[in-house]
Amino acid sequence: MAEVLVVVEASSQGGIKKVTLEMLTLARTLGGDVSAVVFGDVSAVEGKLGEYGATKIYNATGADLDEYLVAPKATVLAALIQRVSPSAVLVASSQEGKEIAARVAVKLDNGILTDVVALDADGTATQVVFAGSTIVKSKVTKGLPIVTVRPNSLTPAPAPATPSVEAVEVAVEDKDRLAKVVERKVEAKGARPELAEASIVVSGGRGVASADNFKLVEELADLLGGAVGASRAAVDSGFYPHQFQVGQTGKTVSPQLYLALGISGAIQHRAGMQTSKTIVAVNKDAEAPIFELADFGVVGDLFKVVPQAAEEIRKR
Ligand code: FAD
């Protein structure tokens, strides 16, 4: 059976993003071997890819891949697909992943499905649309399934393998060199985990009432070893930066524990956190919709509840 190609999503801090492990896990359910495609240095990620079931790694390197945004990567991937004829290609539903997948689909005159949360062996994909209110099943009707996978759609499961590494040489074309990276600034990694990857997320909403009060949210997140998130109302009010927004127009998270502090639970917020394993809400309004979703709810003033919770955690 033909192999499934998984395009590795690199983390800006080196290593790979969790969504790669999710895609490797999904790829294994489709049947056939699982091969990873790595752009750039493979040494730091080879072990992890093997741990999650990659039996082969296609490794493309070269200055063009580094200097010229996504176009060269799409050229390399399209050439690889033509050479190995995989049964499916999985790419992360990130900004870069979606652009690579779209360019490849155009180059190969192939169908594409984006933001997929599940994929059957026959290529039927599941997409969750309209802020999580509608589930759509779709299938590529021309070519193989080129699919972008939404992060946090499934739990990664290890399946140790020892991958072989094959260098991929593809000549990049002049038209791939139309936009160049002029500077790269990697933000210093703080003590907190990355929001989309964290197993605990503590989010604050409009109820937190000010940027200064977000220190309470941060403090609780730090005590729990979690990441900080925010509702759009909190972001729009200038309480917390947009990169931490959870929801339809923000990040999608699916942690083990999600704490919603002063968040009403609008459908657009739910869209980004409703698959969290355990949801705890603190809200002074007993009728707030977030309580329909919460596993545990505290009806109360967050400015009393959060310091008390922090105090209790500190004692342990
Ligand atoms: P509110 O709805 O105002 O709720 C604040 C809550 O805090 C209330 O329930 C209140 O009872 C409670 N509260 C107040 N004071 C306290 C206190 N002292 N202690 C305890 N509780 C208190 N929203 C997102 O979050 N993410 C998105 O990605 C997103 N995308 C959107 C996209 C579109 C196209 C649209 C139209 C909207 C989007 N929204 C998004 C906005 C969304 O509709 C809501 O407006 C937003 O989620 C509300 O944020 P909130 O719950 O913090 O504020």
Side-chain angles (χ1 to χ4, degrees):
M1 194 171 175
E3 64 204 298
V4 179
L5 289 186
V6 171
V7 179
V8 171
E9 178 85 358
S11 144
S12 57
Q13 270 89 30
I16 48 180
K17 288 198 172 166
K18 193 172 115 217
V19 65
T20 301
L21 310 182
E22 293 163 9
M23 291 191 289
L24 291 170
T25 306
L26 176 61
R28 295 203 313 267
T29 67
L30 303 178
D33 285 337
V34 176
S35 304
V37 182
V38 176
F39 297 112
D41 182 24
V42 75
S43 57
V45 300
E46 195 178 338
K48 201 77 179 168
L49 297 174
E51 203 183 312
Y52 283 80
T55 53
K56 189 167 196 174
I57 297 172
Y58 294 106
N59 185 212
T61 51
D64 283 324
L65 293 172
D66 214 33
E67 285 173 28
Y68 291 97
L69 299 173
V70 295
K73 293 179 184 168
T75 295
V76 171
L77 184 60
L80 184 64
I81 291 170
Q82 281 179 313
R83 177 158 72 80
V84 304
S85 298
S87 58
V89 180
L90 309 186
V91 188
S93 250
S94 60
Q95 212 174 333
E96 177 171 301
K98 281 194 217 177
E99 189 175 341
I100 291 175
R103 284 175 179 269
V104 168
V106 170
K107 278 176 190 287
L108 301 180
D109 196 17
N110 194 105
I112 178 174
L113 296 169
T114 57
D115 271 333
V116 164
V117 296
L119 186 66
D120 298 341
D122 72 352
T124 306
T126 307
Q127 293 156 298
V128 180
V129 299
F130 299 137
S133 64
T134 306
I135 291 173
V136 177
K137 299 262 186 194
S138 10
K139 221 170 165 175
V140 165
T141 54
K142 185 159 187 224
L144 73 159
I146 295 180
V147 163
T148 76
V149 179
R150 194 165 159 169
N152 295 313
S153 302
L154 71 157
T155 308
T162 309
S164 58
V165 180
E166 183 184 317
V168 178
E169 309 281 346
V170 175
V172 165
E173 302 158 26
D174 276 350
K175 64 176 167 42
D176 294 333
R177 298 190 180 100
L178 300 180
K180 189 175 169 139
V181 178
V182 288
E183 189 184 10
R184 242 186 212 111
K185 259 193 200 162
V186 178
E187 283 185 33
K189 187 168 165 54
R192 294 188 194 110
E194 202 177 315
L195 180 55
E197 312 250 304
S199 55
I200 298 178
V201 174
V202 183
S203 283
R206 202 197 308 264
V208 175
S210 73
D212 205 37
N213 289 342
F214 249 81
K215 286 190 190 120
L216 262 186
V217 183
E218 292 184 328
E219 191 185 7
L220 188 57
D222 290 343
L223 282 168
L224 295 168
V228 175
S231 73
R232 178 161 161 179
V235 169
D236 287 352
S237 306
F239 303 166
Y240 221 63
H242 176 258
Q243 74 207 76
F244 298 100
Q245 183 178 313
V246 172
Q248 188 184 332
T249 43
K251 300 245 164 74
T252 302
V253 300
S254 194
Q256 294 297 322
L257 176 64
Y258 186 87
L259 277 97
L261 309 176
I263 293 177
S264 61
I267 186 167
Q268 296 89 352
H269 187 77
R270 289 175 183 218
M273 47 65 76
Q274 61 196 353
T275 55
S276 305
K277 308 299 171 291
T278 302
I279 297 169
V280 178
V282 180
N283 198 302
K284 65 181 181 186
D285 175 7
E287 303 296 320
I290 191 77
F291 288 126
E292 294 162 12
L293 196 64
D295 299 283
F296 300 96
V298 181
V299 180
D301 184 344
L302 73 90
F303 297 107
K304 289 189 183 141
V305 176
V306 174
Q308 282 174 17
E311 185 72 39
E312 281 303 314
I313 295 165
R314 250 185 239 106
K315 283 187 202 157
R316 290 174 191 210

